[in-house]
Amino acid sequence: MGEFRMPSLGADMKAATLMDWHIKEGSPVRRGDIIADVETEKGDIDVEVYEDGTLEKILASPGEKLPVGTLMAYVRSEGDPPWEQFQLKLREKEIKAAPIPEQVESEKVSMPTPETSKIFEKPEVEPSLVQAVKPLERIKASPLARTIAVENHIDLHEVHGTRPNGAIGRADVEHFMAVKASKAKPEQPERYAQPQAFQTNMRRAIAAAMARSNREIPHYYLETHIDMSYALEWLEAENRKRSVKERLLVSVLFIKAVAKALTKVPELNGYWVDDQLRIQEAIHIGFAIALRKGGLITPAIHHADTKSLDELMENMLDLTQRVREGRLRSSDLTDATITLTSLGDRGVETVYGVIYPPQVALVGLGKIKEQVWVTQDMLGIRPVVHATLAADHRATDGHQGALFLEALSQYLHDVTQLLS
C-alpha cells in the first residue's frame, strides 16, 4: 500500500497531534513496529505500521495537528515504486479527483463600469501621509557587523546600536540574532497535557461519541440475572492450585463468556456502516478501563474467543498496565467489535450502557451480590450478577438479544465450556 496515514483511533476522533517519529527515513520497518507517537483527546498513543518495508519518506513534522486520513509518510514495500514515482501517482489522483472548473461563459464576463473603473484610478495621497515619510538615514555600523548581517540576512534597520552615536557593532548584531532565534524557536508540543486540559478533552471526546450514539442508534435494553455460584466455586478451586501471580480474576471469565456467547449470536459482533450490519468474524472485545486522571478508555482484547483464560488474563493485565502508563498502541483502539463494561468493583448493581459507534452492542455487568434465589423449588442465597445488553435495533431485535444473554448465562453456569 505505501501510504501511512493518520489512523482513526475511535469513532469520535477527528484529528491528532504528531508527537514524534521513532523511525528515521530509510530505515526498515516490520508489521507491528511502533513508528510514531500521536496525542489524542484520550491520551498519547503509539502508532504501529501494518506492513513490512522501508520508511522511505516522512511527510509530517512533530507538533503538527493532522486530521484523520492525512498522509504522514510513505512506506515502500517490495514491488512498490520509489517515492518520486509514487509522488507522481499521487498528483495524478489529485488531478482526477479535483472538480472540473465550470467554463466561463463569455456573456457572463462583464466589462468594468464607469463606477468600478474608479478603483484603477491613481489614488489621491493625503499630504499628511507624504509628510510622515522620512528619508532613509544612513546606518552606522562597523564593517564586521555589516558582513555578519549580510551573511545571516539581517536587516540592520532592526538592530539597535550600542556604540557611540548609535553605531552598530558585532556584538549588537549577534545579540539581535540570539534574541530572534529564541523567539523563532518552535514551541515544543505539549507532551503531557495539563490535567485540567486532559479532562476537558477527554470529556469532550466522550460527549461527542455518546451524543452521536444517542442521536443515531435506536437502543434497546435487556437484562438478566445470572447465578454465579458455579463459576465462583470453579474459580476458587482453580486458584488454589496456582501461585498468587498466576491466579485468575472473575473478569476473565466474563470476557471469555461474552466472546463464546457471540459465537452463538454473531449478529451482535460487528459494525453498523452505510445502513448495513457488517458482522465481524474476529471477536475483539473492548474492555472499558477507568483512567486515574479521569475518563475511560476501551482498548480491545483481540480474538477473545480463541484465547485461553491464562492468555486473556495476561492480555487484560498488560492492557491495564499500559493504559495506566499511557503506552497504548493504535491497534488497541481501532478494532473493538463490541464493548464490555463492568462496574461491579464500584458497587454498581446494574449497568445500562450506551453503545460505542459504529459497534452494535454493549454488555454491562454489575456487582456480584448475594440474593435470594430459587432453584428446583428450593429457596436459597446465591451470588448473582446483573447482566445487561444494550443493542442497536437497526442491527438486531430483542429475540437475538435474548439468545445472547441466554448463551452468556449458560457459559457462566458451566465454566468448563470456557476452557477450550
Side-chain angles (χ1 to χ4, degrees), residues 40-58:
T40 72
E41 291 176 318
K42 291 188 174 182
D44 298 344
I45 307 297
D46 295 334
V47 181
E48 304 152 270
V49 66
Y50 294 101
E51 61 183 331
D52 297 342
T54 301
L55 184 60
E56 183 153 313
K57 186 68 177 178
I58 289 177

Side-chain angles (χ1 to χ4, degrees), residues 34 90 159 171 188-190 209 230 254 258 269 294 330 345 357 388 397:
I34 297 170
L90 272 182
V159 181
Q188 294 295 322
E190 294 182 7
Y230 306 107
F254 288 145
V258 168
N269 185 64
S330 51
D345 57 344
T388 60
D397 54 32

Side-chain angles (χ1 to χ4, degrees), residues 21 24 31-32 86 129 158 260 286 331 406:
W21 286 104
K24 294 181 179 178
R31 177 183 172 84
F86 177 75
L129 294 179
E158 300 177 14
K260 296 287 280 187
S331 59
E406 183 182 26

